[in-house]
Amino acid sequence: MATTKLTINSNGSVKVDGDFEIVDAQGNVYGLQGRTIVSICRCGLSQNKPFCDGSHKGTEFLPVAFV
């Protein structure tokens, strides 16, 4: 079984590393062009959602703390 690792970056994206696919709410699969590492936006400011484009930098984005 393949492993997928999610890393919650402080004040930033979620890094996804491993064997995975990303599907939107309608069931459409995002073309990852063979990438095995992507960063997913958590702030909602990315112009390339669901992927992080660094738009959170220089803002007051503070993610909800995980307990």
Side-chain angles (χ1 to χ4, degrees):
M1 178 178 183
T3 303
T4 301
K5 177 181 176 183
L6 300 177
T7 304
I8 311 301
N9 294 313
S10 298
N11 298 327
S13 64
V14 174
K15 178 181 170 187
V16 184
D17 185 353
D19 184 27
F20 58 89
E21 76 176 357
I22 300 175
V23 182
D24 69 15
Q26 290 73 42
N28 301 306
V29 177
Y30 283 89
L32 299 176
Q33 291 76 37
R35 291 180 282 177
T36 59
I37 300 174
V38 297
S39 292
I40 302 297
C41 176
R42 287 199 299 158
C43 72
L45 299 173
S46 176
Q47 297 300 305
N48 191 30
K49 290 181 197 89
F51 306 103
C52 178
D53 67 3
S55 292
H56 62 277
K57 295 177 184 173
T59 70
E60 295 183 25
F61 168 66
L62 295 173
V64 174
F66 288 93
V67 180

